[in-house]
Amino acid sequence: MKGMEENEDWRFKVANREALIGIALAIFNFIWWFGFAYGLGSRPVEEYTYVFGLPSWFFYSCIVGFITIAILVILVVRFFFKEVPFTEEGDEV
């Protein structure tokens, strides 16, 4: 079993790291959405505040949350993800 670890392709390490980053972004997105949707949205309707005609819980959880996650994904892909070839070095297609 030890030999398999030594011969592990470097691309698997990159893919695992990028998958963990993707999971972290998804968890952050859920926490953001849940926090604003249920934090601000749990009040009685009479106490809602509105932003651009939308309830504040909806505006911050769905509109601002989407924009925030979209920007984070763009930044993460641009600065943390690597271009990985699908073929091994020396293989010709």
Side-chain angles (χ1 to χ4, degrees):
M1 200 71 189
K2 202 176 208 181
M4 287 186 69
E5 291 176 12
E6 292 173 7
N7 294 329
E8 185 174 309
D9 194 341
W10 64 274
R11 295 175 292 183
F12 289 120
K13 290 181 183 178
V14 172
N16 286 335
R17 183 178 71 87
E18 292 177 359
L20 291 174
I21 292 171
I23 290 169
L25 282 172
I27 290 170
F28 175 76
N29 186 29
F30 179 76
I31 291 170
W32 178 288
W33 173 82
F34 190 86
F36 279 107
Y38 287 99
L40 294 176
S42 62
R43 291 184 259 153
V45 177
E46 297 80 26
E47 296 179 17
Y48 282 179
T49 56
Y50 294 89
V51 179
F52 297 119
L54 300 169
S56 61
W57 67 266
F58 180 83
F59 180 78
Y60 291 116
S61 67
C62 296
I63 308 298
V64 175
F66 172 76
I67 293 168
T68 302
I69 292 301
I71 291 170
L72 280 175
V73 167
I74 290 168
L75 292 174
V76 164
V77 168
R78 183 145 179 106
F79 296 109
F80 292 103
F81 283 18
K82 287 190 200 179
E83 184 77 30
V84 177
F86 289 125
T87 59
E88 291 187 35
E89 294 174 19
D91 287 352
E92 292 189 28
V93 179

